[in-house]
Amino acid sequence: MTAARGTQLTDRLAGALRRSAAGRAAAGLRTRAVPNHWSSMFAEVALYSFVVVVLTGIFLTFFYDPSSTVVTYHGPYGPLSGIEMSRALDSTLHISLEVRGGLLMRQAHHWASLLLIAAVIFHLLSMFFTGAFRRPRQLNWLVVFGVFVLCLVAGWTGYALPDDMLSGTGLRIVHGVILGIPVIGTWLSFLVFGGEFPSTVIANFYPIHAIVVPLVIVGLIVAYAGLLLSQKPAQFAGPGRTEDNVVGVPLLPRYGVRSAGLFFLVFAVIVLVAATVTINPIWNYGPSAPGDASAGSQPDWYMGFLDGALRLVPPGWEFEVLGYTVTLAVLVPLAVVGGFLLVVALYPFFEAWVTGDKREHHILDRPRNAPARTAVGAAGIVFYAVLWAAASSDFVATQFHVSLESVTIAYQVALLAGPVAAFVIARRVALALQRRDRELVLHGVETGRIVRMPGGEYIEVHRPLDAYERWRLVDFDEYAPLRLRPDSDGRIPVRKRARAAVSRFFFEDRVTPVTRRELESARE
């Protein structure tokens, strides 16, 4: 009797839990299908790298002192014994050489930060080349791009916190860039650095790096997760997959278990690399000094494109206006990099304007089926890569025994001609791959088997594609150039002419998908 009552109570409690908001949410997650594709891995790696960054950062805050007060080093590292340095560097050396597990945590923090930014960049590229930024996911693109920018800010502010010679050289470059801004440069420098360089810059950057930026990133991650849950998951074309359904595995438990395994793998790889590969050995650089600079200093890879933009400006680009010296060597790189980032952020809206497409898209594109977008992405990658490579122009010159001027000129030419060449080549390759897909769909795959026909003719037998491959190759949107139509007054506004011209440039050279009639004719 008692056991029966206990069972009834358990059943009532389980029913109440299922009817609660948490129970309904869990049931919804169990029934939510998620496409099982490797491209989703980048977002998860970025998330788990951020978790490692936060956990290791919390550990480091217990021992780090963000103070510029000068002290004398008396730690275990002999070459720096008796050297004056800031408390920031002294505490960082203490973490690295005296705290049990401190160096591992510090290097794991650094490596996880690098992996975080790399994963965010690859996630953006995956979204771009597959068209995952189209309606209704334009806000998703802006959120991920915002995370990317905030990661750059977090990395830049964290780069300065050890207050060693390498970080001091980077801060000196930033200080010079800020001073080069006309009219407001000096005031802005005092605002950022808290006075005359270097002043209290460490104390100013520490709360930004340790509190403000991480909290904003967490807010964006929560917003991104909410957007994903409120939208249908995007998926690649295939049999049974339409704009109205989702084919995949249940979010809970199958996808969740796999994702948890990926977290432990990411964590293990970061710890393994941190334990075996040294990064940012501040004890070799020594303390920062306002009047000194480190020879051969290089920024972390994600900031290389900013440094490269400064190096590629020709010398002597400056003039005076109303007593102010306008330094184009600073303004031009700022404008170029700022314009590039702005184009990246607003591209989804630009493509929607060019195509005039206001539909919702839940089927992703193969990059070859969007040749104009793929070409733009290739041009952007080459532009970024040239700026990034230019940050090491001095090393290229010394390693290959050529003059620095020759290397700079080569990078300048590549910066102007490289994106154009990449655009043309990528679009032609995408169109050629589309034509190959048409041939495969219409004629099948060559088998290498030669058959003699009754009339004496020799032909090669082709194996037709299965339904999945055929669907994957022909299921894509084909955009045609916009047609100009006059308004009610018989005129065509300049805005419409410009839009039509851009549309022709993007879509005039295209390959149409295989039609049903062509497919039926090929089977006969």
Side-chain angles (χ1 to χ4, degrees):
M1 193 71 173
T2 304
R5 290 179 179 177
T7 302
Q8 293 176 359
L9 179 60
T10 302
D11 292 341
R12 286 198 297 270
L13 291 176
L17 181 61
R18 286 193 296 269
R19 290 189 296 271
S20 66
R24 292 193 299 269
L29 294 178
R30 284 194 296 270
T31 58
R32 181 181 176 86
V34 180
N36 191 11
H37 195 268
W38 62 267
S39 60
S40 62
M41 175 186 67
F42 299 121
E44 297 177 46
V45 171
L47 174 62
Y48 300 145
S49 300
F50 179 71
V51 172
V52 176
V53 168
V54 171
L55 293 178
T56 54
I58 292 174
F59 175 88
L60 296 176
T61 56
F62 288 106
F63 306 97
Y64 178 73
D65 185 359
S67 173
S68 300
T69 303
V70 177
V71 297
T72 302
Y73 179 72
H74 296 292
Y77 188 66
L80 292 179
S81 181
I83 301 296
E84 291 186 345
M85 60 182 64
S86 65
R87 285 190 179 275
L89 179 58
D90 182 71
S91 62
T92 307
L93 288 170
H94 174 70
I95 293 172
S96 304
L97 304 177
E98 298 178 71
V99 175
R100 187 182 299 272
L103 182 59
L104 176 65
M105 287 294 179
R106 182 172 154 263
Q107 296 198 150
H109 187 75
H110 201 141
W111 282 116
S113 301
L114 300 183
L115 181 60
L116 167 61
I117 298 177
V120 172
I121 290 177
F122 277 106
H123 185 48
L124 281 171
L125 291 176
S126 175
M127 293 179 66
F128 181 87
F129 285 108
T130 61
F133 56 77
R134 294 174 295 175
R135 189 177 180 187
R137 296 177 180 82
Q138 293 169 324
L139 185 57
N140 299 38
W141 172 267
L142 292 179
V143 170
V144 177
F145 180 79
V147 172
F148 167 69
V149 174
L150 288 171
C151 287
L152 292 183
V153 175
W156 175 61
T157 53
Y159 182 84
L161 294 184
D163 200 30
D164 60 301
M165 181 62 72
L166 183 61
S167 64
T169 302
L171 285 177
R172 171 63 74 180
I173 295 174
V174 173
H175 178 247
V177 170
I178 295 176
L179 288 179
I181 301 176
V183 183
I184 64 172
T186 303
W187 300 333
L188 187 60
S189 172
F190 271 72
L191 177 64
V192 172
F193 292 95
E196 187 67 32
F197 179 83
S199 191
T200 58
V201 62
I202 303 299
N204 294 345
F205 281 4
Y206 181 69
I208 297 175
H209 175 79
I211 301 175
V212 178
V213 173
L215 288 179
V216 177
I217 292 179
V218 169
L220 291 180
I221 291 175
V222 173
Y224 188 65
L227 289 172
L228 293 179
L229 291 176
S230 65
Q231 300 163 351
K232 292 181 181 178
Q235 58 186 344
F236 286 95
R241 300 177 183 178
T242 67
E243 297 285 359
D244 300 322
N245 70 352
V246 179
V247 177
V249 299
L251 181 59
L252 291 178
R254 288 183 58 185
Y255 193 87
V257 171
R258 192 195 72 171
S259 184
L262 180 61
F263 166 72
F264 289 112
L265 179 61
V266 170
F267 186 87
V269 169
I270 291 174
V271 173
L272 177 63
V273 174
T276 56
V277 182
T278 300
I279 189 169
N280 196 21
I282 56 172
W283 50 87
N284 289 338
Y285 305 141
S288 173
D292 299 332
S294 176
S297 61
Q298 297 290 311
D300 280 333
W301 70 267
Y302 54 85
M303 300 296 289
F305 75 109
L306 299 174
D307 192 10
L310 292 171
R311 297 188 184 207
L312 292 186
V313 179
W317 275 25
E318 62 182 31
F319 56 90
E320 291 190 5
V321 176
L322 301 177
Y324 290 97
T325 300
V326 179
T327 306
L328 296 180
V330 171
L331 296 182
V332 169
L334 290 178
V336 169
V337 172
F340 174 71
L341 295 177
L342 184 63
V343 168
V344 173
L346 299 182
Y347 181 84
F349 306 94
F350 170 76
E351 183 172 305
W353 175 74
V354 172
T355 61
D357 188 0
K358 298 182 179 179
R359 300 170 297 168
E360 289 193 357
H361 293 273
H362 303 292
I363 299 295
L364 299 175
D365 287 331
R366 299 173 73 206
R368 67 183 63 181
N369 294 336
R373 181 198 305 145
T374 300
V376 170
I381 290 175
V382 170
F383 182 83
Y384 176 90
V386 172
L387 291 179
W388 175 79
S392 299
S393 57
D394 52 345
F395 280 100
V396 173
T398 56
Q399 294 300 317
F400 290 94
H401 305 289
V402 295
S403 66
L404 180 61
E405 291 77 10
S406 300
V407 175
T408 302
I409 292 174
Y411 279 129
Q412 290 170 344
V413 173
L415 185 65
L416 298 177
V420 177
F423 181 91
V424 174
I425 293 173
R427 185 163 64 170
R428 301 314 303 176
V429 169
L431 292 172
L433 291 174
Q434 284 191 58
R435 293 188 181 95
R436 177 178 176 274
D437 289 347
R438 282 181 57 88
E439 291 295 322
L440 289 176
V441 172
L442 294 175
H443 305 295
V445 181
E446 297 178 356
T447 62
R449 187 164 64 92
I450 306 300
V451 177
R452 183 178 181 182
M453 303 299 290
E457 178 187 7
Y458 289 91
I459 63 171
E460 182 180 10
V461 177
H462 287 66
R463 175 179 57 83
L465 300 178
D466 58 29
Y468 179 84
E469 282 294 321
R470 189 164 55 247
W471 191 309
R472 188 173 66 90
L473 296 182
V474 302
D475 186 24
F476 64 92
D477 290 326
E478 184 262 329
Y479 292 108
L482 296 178
R483 294 183 179 180
L484 287 175
R485 291 184 175 85
D487 56 17
S488 57
D489 297 329
R491 293 177 297 182
I492 301 177
V494 176
R495 178 177 57 84
K496 289 187 177 180
R497 292 181 184 273
R499 182 181 180 187
V502 176
S503 179
R504 283 195 304 271
F505 175 75
F506 267 67
F507 306 115
E508 195 166 33
D509 192 5
R510 65 192 190 280
V511 177
T512 58
V514 177
T515 62
R516 184 179 297 275
R517 180 176 298 179
E518 287 177 319
L519 190 58
E520 292 176 351
S521 300
R523 291 177 179 177
E524 295 177 356

